[in-house]
Amino acid sequence: MKFNWGTGVVLAFIGFIAFIMYFVVTMFADNRFKNELVTEDYYGAELLYQKDINKLEKSKELTVNVNYLRTNDGLKVVFPKGFDYTEITGKVFLYRPSNKQLDFETSIVSLSDSTLLIPDKRLVDGRWNIKIDWQYKGNSYLFKESIIY
């Protein structure tokens, strides 16, 4: 068999197709390349997004918004001082972009002061998205931020 340019082109195509097939199979089979959706019901969540926009705008009207700080005990969420902390309700959602199993939600039911402590044992070092959806005297507010813990 003679090796000419036609044979070389055919071998190049076969090599290229084999490389692409190897790449595709590796991407689907390897767990390192698994990507998860932010939410299971993506389109349903998108329809509710306007309510979140309204809450964010309401939060911008506050003179002092919700704040947070890292302590030895965990992440301390600090609500505005001028508000009666006994009337604050809502929920805190922490989303870990790299691992869905670490996501969790905590209810704000009854505060003993103007802070809420999320224990250190619940949080792993790294990037988190925090979403605090809270209500005070019939007004709804929203605080969203990416944090490094």
Side-chain angles (χ1 to χ4, degrees):
M1 178 170 149
K2 272 185 146 179
F3 186 80
N4 58 25
W5 68 271
T7 307
V9 169
V10 169
L11 289 176
F13 276 129
I14 291 172
F16 179 72
I17 291 170
F19 169 73
I20 295 298
M21 291 303 294
Y22 168 77
F23 184 70
V24 168
V25 168
T26 301
M27 291 299 289
F28 278 110
D30 196 343
N31 286 336
R32 292 181 298 156
F33 303 114
K34 295 282 187 211
N35 292 315
E36 299 174 354
L37 293 174
V38 173
T39 180
E40 293 297 324
D41 186 19
Y42 178 77
Y43 295 107
E46 185 177 344
L47 294 174
L48 299 174
Y49 194 64
Q50 183 61 43
K51 290 180 183 178
D52 286 353
I53 292 171
N54 295 341
K55 292 176 188 177
L56 284 169
E57 291 298 321
K58 189 78 170 164
S59 296
K60 288 180 183 177
E61 295 172 6
L62 296 173
T63 54
V64 177
N65 202 351
V66 172
N67 203 353
Y68 64 90
L69 58 117
R70 183 177 182 173
T71 64
N72 292 334
D73 298 326
L75 185 70
K76 186 183 269 191
V77 178
V78 182
F79 292 95
K81 295 286 184 195
F83 288 17
D84 180 11
Y85 60 85
T86 59
E87 295 188 38
I88 295 174
T89 59
K91 59 186 177 179
V92 177
F93 179 67
L94 280 115
Y95 165 72
R96 178 71 179 216
S98 63
N99 189 347
K100 183 179 181 178
Q101 282 72 34
L102 295 176
D103 296 354
F104 67 93
E105 186 173 302
T106 302
S107 294
I108 305 168
V109 181
S110 60
L111 299 173
S112 57
D113 60 359
S114 63
T115 63
L116 173 71
L117 181 67
I118 299 167
D120 187 54
K121 63 182 179 185
R122 302 271 327 253
L123 300 169
V124 177
D125 290 347
R127 182 172 178 258
W128 289 87
N129 292 340
I130 186 169
K131 181 178 177 181
I132 304 170
D133 188 356
W134 59 289
Q135 295 79 34
Y136 178 74
K137 292 189 177 181
N139 293 320
S140 295
Y141 303 96
L142 183 66
F143 176 81
K144 286 170 60 170
E145 195 166 310
S146 294
I147 62 173
I148 305 294
Y149 186 76

